[in-house]
Amino acid sequence: MAAKKMFGAADASILVTDLRRSFDDGVTRGYEWRVTQLKKLLIICDNHEPEIVAALRDDLGKPELESSVYEVSLLRNSIKLALKQLKNWMAPEKAKTSLTTFPASAEIVSEPLGVVLVISAWNYPFLLSIDPVIGAISAGNAVVLKPSELAPASSALLAKLMEQYLDSSAVRVVEGAVTETTALLEQKWDKIFYTGSSKIGHVIMAAAAKHLTPVVLELGGKSPVVVDSDTDLKVTVRRIIAGKWGCNNGQACISPDYILTTKEYAPKVIDAMKKELETFYGKNPMESKDMSRIVNSTHFDRLSKMLDEKEVSDKIVYGGEKDRENLKIAPTILLDVPLDSLIMSEEIFGPLLPILTLNNLEESFDVIRSRPKPLAAYLFTHNKKLKERFAATVSAGGIVVNDIAVHLALHTLPFGGVGESGMGAYHGKFSFDAFSHKKAVLYRSLFGDSAVRYPPYSRGKLRLLKALVDSNIFDIFKVLLGLS
């Protein structure tokens, strides 16, 4: 069998040149082309769901429910929304004018950026690959998708299906690892959209800076969950479990990273979590088929290092079992781990969940503020004032009160980070906007030209122009009547 040809800088340059030629020729700009490509993406979701589910099982051991609902169904909804709203999104937006430019009309035109690069992540390899591509295509761009090599079955299937269905003159998939990604990053793009770790986010931004390329960085961080004693505890812990272990076994950017609650309430939280975890995954969760495995041995070892660290391993109050051969780690709850430990310094991205106890819930605001801004922050309470204060004062990519991660599915909300958890946002129209340039267009009449703006200047012209710029009708009349 012949070795696969390496994809290098020369190949990347040719690829970008080909796509830019298509873009410059207007291939991607028309409404019909955009609709046709979106419908092809919908066909992929409708006709190839079993293959997608199988690929996700191979890569992550992901349960069918998670694959079908959290990847395929969410994608299907995104595509249908784009198809329904595309004409409205593309329509110029009327803008107000002023006396300064009278007579005139103005509008804001959404134009495609050009040739864009999407680099996706391994934890939700279909959702996080195709969802940004929906935005790029809707906005009229040519696009290159680079799936993650850490989900090889999903990457191969994405490449096969997108080549089979989409217009290859304007949409391409490049598989590979560091070499291929580096070759792509050396090129000049009109936008780079990256989903992944903060560490690689630095690399992406540095590469983009060389060409002044704008970026969207969908990163992560340590998303806190604040649990008030004034809550429905059973519903609270069930939703925390669903958002932690029920979302790719904690391998999700908006997964809860640690819980904050009071010393007095913590034992009740732990007992309730133990009970519900056993209800969901049985007495031996390592044998459950309803939980994804760890993606590979490297990430298994990273999580093991967190768990085995001195002064952390003795803080386990539930779980802790590990099976390296099968890449499985049981749901694990820890109590009051050191704040300077690895598990509290790095994003966990796995099935470990520390609980930190406080003297009072007021201290939770200080804990969250003392750390980099997270991608998501969660609060469980019935207290109206606490809800309002949390939403108003906690800075995070998104806030959810009384649930976990569900804001991801709401296309009327922007999804993105702030500070170290990322920049830029997408989903719904926000995806279209992320890949569009908002171009200001002003139409002026050639009639009604006035000498007031032209030399030679005079005090009267100065007073009149100032009144016009200020849009002050009273002052304009005063100047015209010689009263000023």
Side-chain angles (χ1 to χ4, degrees):
M1 185 177 175
K4 187 176 180 181
K5 181 180 179 294
M6 290 292 292
F7 180 92
D11 303 294
S13 178
I14 292 168
L15 172 62
V16 174
T17 300
D18 288 346
L19 293 184
R20 197 166 296 285
R21 186 180 301 115
S22 293
F23 178 78
D24 290 343
D25 288 344
V27 170
T28 66
R29 286 178 176 266
Y31 172 78
E32 289 302 328
W33 182 87
R34 305 184 200 193
V35 166
T36 299
Q37 302 309 302
L38 291 172
K39 286 181 177 177
K40 294 290 181 66
L41 287 174
L42 193 57
I43 289 171
I44 289 175
C45 292
D46 289 342
N47 293 1
H48 296 277
E49 185 170 331
E51 295 166 69
I52 294 170
V53 169
L56 290 167
R57 189 182 302 115
D58 288 346
D59 286 331
L60 294 154
K62 193 172 282 194
E64 182 181 356
L65 183 145
E66 287 189 37
S67 299
S68 291
V69 176
Y70 302 154
E71 299 227 29
V72 181
S73 291
L74 286 180
L75 281 175
R76 194 179 282 119
N77 286 345
S78 291
I79 298 165
K80 287 180 177 178
L81 178 74
L83 286 168
K84 181 179 179 181
Q85 296 293 334
L86 187 56
K87 278 190 177 177
N88 292 331
W89 294 349
M90 290 176 66
E93 179 186 342
K94 291 295 180 184
K96 290 183 178 180
T97 57
S98 68
L99 285 170
T100 310
T101 57
F102 180 84
S105 64
E107 63 186 16
I108 302 166
V109 175
S110 295
E111 67 173 2
L113 293 170
V115 182
V116 301
L117 173 63
V118 174
I119 303 174
S120 69
W122 54 263
N123 56 329
Y124 286 83
F126 284 89
L127 178 66
L128 299 181
S129 292
I130 296 179
D131 215 1
V133 169
I134 293 167
I137 288 173
S138 296
N141 298 279
V143 56
V144 172
L145 168 64
K146 165 60 184 67
S148 174
E149 70 279 8
L150 298 186
S154 298
S155 177
L157 184 58
L158 274 164
K160 172 189 162 187
L161 293 176
M162 291 182 74
E163 182 181 4
Q164 179 182 341
Y165 284 97
L166 298 182
D167 179 1
S168 61
S169 74
V171 182
R172 301 278 188 88
V173 177
V174 174
E175 289 193 272
V178 176
T179 300
E180 291 76 10
T181 305
T182 302
L184 289 169
L185 288 174
E186 288 173 357
Q187 309 308 309
K188 178 172 174 54
W189 303 92
D190 295 297
K191 192 153 202 175
I192 298 174
F193 188 109
Y194 168 74
T195 305
S197 70
S198 297
K199 180 181 176 182
I200 304 302
H202 284 88
V203 175
I204 302 294
M205 202 164 182
K210 294 176 184 177
H211 300 289
L212 292 180
T213 299
V215 297
V216 172
L217 300 179
E218 295 292 341
L219 307 177
K222 299 187 72 62
S223 297
V225 183
V226 176
V227 178
D228 185 16
S229 58
D230 182 11
T231 188
D232 183 321
L233 186 55
K234 181 174 181 178
V235 173
T236 295
V237 298
R238 287 167 73 91
R239 290 182 178 180
I240 291 172
I241 292 168
K244 176 70 172 181
W245 295 283
C247 286
N248 202 27
N249 204 5
Q251 298 170 114
C253 56
I254 49 175
S255 170
D257 219 75
Y258 62 100
I259 290 175
L260 295 167
T261 194
T262 62
K263 287 181 170 64
E264 182 182 7
Y265 200 55
K268 294 180 181 178
V269 174
I270 293 168
D271 287 344
M273 291 191 77
K274 288 178 180 179
K275 180 180 178 182
E276 296 302 329
L277 278 166
E278 187 172 313
T279 300
F280 290 174
Y281 301 114
K283 291 186 180 296
N284 187 357
M286 300 284 275
E287 295 178 358
S288 174
K289 298 186 185 305
D290 294 325
M291 194 183 303
S292 304
R293 61 169 170 77
I294 308 306
V295 64
N296 58 28
S297 57
T298 301
H299 280 276
F300 182 95
D301 293 341
R302 176 184 62 80
L303 290 163
S304 294
K305 186 178 178 182
M306 286 183 179
L307 206 53
D308 296 339
E309 191 179 15
K310 186 182 178 184
E311 297 183 6
V312 170
S313 57
D314 61 349
K315 302 292 186 180
I316 297 171
V317 293
Y318 181 84
E321 297 84 6
K322 295 180 290 184
D323 178 354
R324 193 176 191 276
E325 184 179 347
N326 293 304
L327 298 175
K328 291 202 169 186
I329 298 177
T332 301
I333 303 171
L334 306 98
L335 182 63
D336 285 328
V337 297
L339 292 178
D340 60 353
S341 59
L342 284 175
I343 203 169
M344 284 305 299
S345 304
E346 300 176 5
E347 184 177 9
I348 295 170
F349 225 71
L352 319 179
L353 186 59
I355 297 176
L356 304 183
T357 61
L358 313 167
N359 293 315
N360 55 70
L361 219 58
E362 183 70 23
E363 294 176 6
S364 64
F365 291 93
D366 295 329
V367 173
I368 296 171
R369 271 194 294 263
S370 70
R371 296 175 171 272
K373 295 177 181 181
L375 184 57
Y378 306 108
L379 168 68
F380 286 88
T381 185
H382 287 307
N383 188 311
K384 184 181 178 183
K385 288 185 177 179
L386 182 58
K387 293 176 189 178
E388 291 172 349
R389 187 181 171 205
F390 193 83
T393 63
V394 172
S395 184
I399 299 283
V400 181
V401 176
N402 290 333
D403 212 331
I404 302 287
V406 292
H407 62 305
L408 177 81
L410 199 56
H411 291 294
T412 51
L413 292 176
F415 181 81
V418 58
E420 291 184 32
S421 59
M423 61 182 70
Y426 72 126
H427 288 182
K429 187 175 185 293
F430 302 102
S431 293
F432 177 87
D433 291 341
F435 289 100
S436 300
H437 166 58
K438 300 300 180 182
K439 182 167 63 179
V441 180
L442 177 67
Y443 299 96
R444 285 213 72 203
S445 171
L446 289 170
F447 296 100
D449 196 43
S450 172
V452 69
R453 64 187 285 197
Y454 305 125
Y457 301 132
S458 66
R459 298 301 298 175
K461 287 183 177 182
L462 172 61
R463 288 193 294 271
L464 183 55
L465 277 174
K466 286 178 70 174
L468 284 168
V469 170
D470 291 342
S471 296
N472 190 319
I473 298 290
F474 182 69
D475 284 351
I476 291 170
F477 277 114
K478 284 175 64 177
V479 172
L480 291 175
L481 294 172
L483 301 176
S484 172

